[in-house]
Amino acid sequence: MKSQLVRSTPAALLLCGAVLLAGSGGAVAGSMITGAQIKNGTVTSADLKNRTVKPSDLSPTTTRKLQRVGAYQRVTQSVVVAPGDNGQIAAQCAPGSMVLGVAAHWQLSFAGPQTLINPANTVGMAYGTNNAGANDTLIVDVTCGRVAS
């Protein structure tokens, strides 16, 4: 009986030690990194858990800007362009809205068209040359948002 106790005691001690280490691992890791140690601009939205950032976590300037924007709308326009020709297309936001972003692409070609926003921030435009061997469609997507003054 004594020999069985001697053989199982080291195994039991080893098991207890492993359980203690495993249980304290998260607490040790959690206390190792602080916000002061994180370089500004390195945390992305993919690093954040949904619904964990509150308005009080944001700067007052950011909070004001977010409160001004609402009623998002996506406006898409397209134009068919002959091979070798230059194409241009524009999409306008509804009155009281402004352009928040512009994206454009060719339907067939991988060439990237250029985009721009007019000075009043109400129209998003795309332009480029059709380098495909056939007619190609130039498509512009404009994201608009209603902004209170």
Side-chain angles (χ1 to χ4, degrees):
M1 183 73 147
K2 185 176 182 180
S3 65
Q4 190 176 20
L5 180 62
V6 172
R7 276 191 240 154
S8 64
T9 303
L13 289 174
L14 185 61
L15 179 62
C16 287
V19 169
L20 286 174
L21 282 174
S24 65
V28 171
S31 66
M32 292 174 65
I33 300 172
T34 67
Q37 296 166 317
I38 298 174
K39 183 178 176 184
N40 287 346
T42 59
V43 177
T44 66
S45 60
D47 300 320
L48 301 175
K49 183 178 176 186
N50 285 343
R51 306 194 193 288
T52 58
V53 177
K54 298 172 180 58
S56 61
D57 297 326
L58 304 173
S59 72
T61 303
T62 302
T63 303
R64 277 193 304 276
K65 286 181 181 178
L66 289 173
Q67 289 171 343
R68 289 177 41 203
V69 177
Y72 295 106
Q73 180 185 20
R74 180 176 166 190
V75 181
T76 301
Q77 296 289 337
S78 63
V79 64
V80 176
V81 181
D85 283 353
N86 294 322
Q88 180 176 327
I89 189 73
Q92 184 166 355
C93 294
S97 294
M98 66 181 283
V99 176
L100 301 176
V102 179
H105 65 279
W106 291 99
Q107 188 172 10
L108 302 176
S109 172
F110 291 109
Q114 301 295 313
T115 61
L116 57 96
I117 301 171
N118 73 331
N121 287 332
T122 56
V123 178
M125 297 169 265
Y127 61 93
T129 303
N130 178 1
N131 294 324
N135 286 347
D136 201 352
T137 303
L138 177 60
I139 302 166
V140 64
D141 291 308
V142 177
T143 302
C144 304
R146 191 165 298 280
V147 179
S149 50

